[in-house]
């Protein structure tokens, strides 16, 4: 029996645990900070603990004689969990602290792309003095994205037109980031604002090569029609052909090349990247550009991919550790998926916590939808909201809109007085809007005005 430890208590980790349990001869152990009922059920043993408490996690892994650790979220990577495990001789199919800097330091990631002349880079500057940031913002006419350098759970980024207006608005937020050390560092990244459609490309990496997975589109904004504040992601979809309705094969391949080159550059830097690498891209008139790189599966994007994986996931994890991905043949079902999150009312602003959610698991199963629990707490037999996303429901089918219908049917079996769902995700109306938007963007020649 092989012992696998999964770190993290969200829906992404529930999906990871489920994929692990599809492998033969494995025993699942888990560490999470909330009692996720889905993970609890699949685990032989679990520990409720702070996932960034490296000493405690390593102690548990050693004590239970774990063979392989899979880390779901980024915070334990930043805390150096993988390096500490390695020191004790415990393998992990997640990146080291240094390699994970592609996510944990936006400044470092942008610098790496520049140094190795990796395509898909954007104009950017990194500042610890407001007056320098201001000059840079002025040069770009205020058409910028303002980002804390460190981790903010996807919620610290503000973009011109969406969250503030003009040079003044940009400078004012840049000042806030520096003065309040948002993201933990008194530094801000200013980037040119990219126009286009966003997509996610996740890939397995063994430090030398990558195997890219189907593309996914996440929905970061809280409210229907892409309004409201940025969140960790309200839901996502993927298509049968692995592309997205607004994207062609070349776009996909160009994005894969960017991820491959990032992995190669990390090898040259002496920190091989082992694990899942995640690229958040903006598909612009000029092809895909990197918005951010993450050192893990996306959440929700993982729930679009792992349920479709037919190959043995644990075997893939070993191949990433051993550097033998080239010998793997990865099979993924050709299906469309739609994932929608159920979140506590007020999520993204101020969540209503400790509110009851009733989940009719059998009802969901009968619709054919899949259920992944996220940051809920189970007390006795009842499930309560925390401040984060509660659970995800995924519809899978040959057709995208049928997958959306299945997802919605599944969601009917989730009830709660204080829950919220972005129902427009995967709807025909929203997808067609995305296609039209991308057509418009592609018609744009740099600097020229678009005729609608
Ligand atoms: P991040 O945390 O870097 O993924 O940023 C959160 C969201 O802000 C992204 O998903 C984009 O929607 C938006 N964003 C980030 N950087 C840019 C940029 N340079 N131009 C336009 N939008 C951006
Ligand atoms: N869905 C965005 C992320 O996982 O960072």
């Amino acid at each position: 029996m092989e012992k696998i430890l999964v770190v993290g208590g969200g829906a992404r980790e529930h999906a990871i645990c489920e994929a692990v349990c599809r492998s033969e001869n494995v025993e699942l152990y888990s560490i999470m900070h909330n009692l996720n009922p889905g993970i609890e059920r699949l685990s032989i043993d679990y520990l409720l603990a702070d996932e960034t408490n490296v000493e405690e996690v390593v102690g548990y892994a050693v004590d239970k004689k774990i063979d392989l650790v899979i880390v779901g979220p980024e915070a334990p990577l930043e805390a150096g969990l993988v390096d500490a495990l390695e020191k004790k001789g415990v393998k992990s199919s997640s990146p080291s602290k240094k390699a994970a800097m592609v996510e944990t330091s936006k400044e470092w990631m942008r610098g790496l792309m520049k140094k190795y002349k990796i395509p898909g880079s954007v104009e950017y500057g990194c500042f610890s003095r407001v007056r320098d940031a201001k000059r840079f913002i002025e040069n770009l006419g205020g058409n910028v994205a303002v980002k804390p350098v460190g981790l903010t759970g996807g919620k610290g980024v503000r973009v011109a037109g969406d969250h503030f207006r003009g040079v003044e608005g940009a400078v004012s937020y840049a000042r806030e980031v520096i003065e309040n050390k948002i993201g933990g560092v008194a530094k801000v990244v200013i980037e040119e604002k990219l126009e286009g459609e966003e997509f996610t490309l996740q890939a397995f990496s063994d430090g030398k090569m990558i195997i890219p997975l189907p593309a996914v589109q996440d929905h970061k904004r809280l409210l229907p029609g892409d309004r409201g504040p940025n969140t960790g992601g309200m839901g996502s979809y993927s298509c049968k052909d692995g592309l997205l309705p607004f994207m062609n094969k070349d776009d996909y391949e160009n994005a894969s090349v960017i991820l491959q080159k990032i992995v190669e550059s990390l090898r040259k830097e002496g920190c091989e990247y082992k694990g899942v690498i995640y690229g958040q891209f903006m598909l612009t008139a000029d092809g895909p550009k990197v918005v951010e790189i993450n050192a893990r599966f996306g959440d929700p994007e993982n729930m679009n991919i792992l349920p479709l994986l037919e190959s043995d996931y644990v075997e893939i994890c070993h191949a990433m550790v051993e550097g033998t991905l080239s010998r793997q043949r990865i099979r993924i079902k050709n299906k469309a998926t739609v994932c929608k999150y159920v979140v506590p009312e007020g999520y993204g602003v101020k969540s209503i916590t400790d509110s009851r959610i009733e989940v009719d698991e059998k009802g969901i199963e009968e619709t054919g939808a899949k259920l992944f629990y996220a940051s809920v707490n189970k007390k006795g037999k009842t499930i309560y909201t925390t401040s984060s996303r509660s659970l995800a429901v995924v519809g899978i089918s040959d057709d995208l809109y049928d997958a959306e219908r299945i997802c919605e049917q599944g969601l009917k079996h989730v009830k709660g007085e204080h829950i919220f769902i972005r129902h427009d995700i995967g709807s025909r109306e929203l997808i067609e809007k995305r296609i039209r938007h991308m057509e418009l963007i592609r018609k744009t020649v740099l600097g020229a005005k678009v005729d609608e």
Side-chain angles (χ1 to χ4, degrees), residues 181-228:
K181 291 196 185 168
I182 299 178
V185 198
K187 243 181 178 183
V188 69
V189 178
I190 310 289
E191 291 175 5
E192 67 176 295
K193 179 184 172 180
L194 300 166
E195 305 271 3
E197 275 298 322
E198 272 186 274
F199 68 93
T200 300
L201 184 65
Q202 304 168 102
F204 294 121
S205 165
D206 68 356
K208 297 181 288 238
M209 65 168 289
I210 64 158
I211 297 182
L213 297 160
V216 182
Q217 189 172 45
D218 183 17
H219 297 70
K220 292 230 161 150
R221 305 293 287 273
L222 178 69
L223 302 174
D226 296 320
R227 292 171 300 111

Side-chain angles (χ1 to χ4, degrees), residues 119-121 199 250-251 254-255 258 281-284 286-290:
S121 229
F199 68 93
D250 281 350
D251 301 323
N254 290 336
I258 293 171
F281 293 93
M282 185 75 81
L283 185 54
T284 69
D286 199 22
K289 305 272 182 193
V290 173

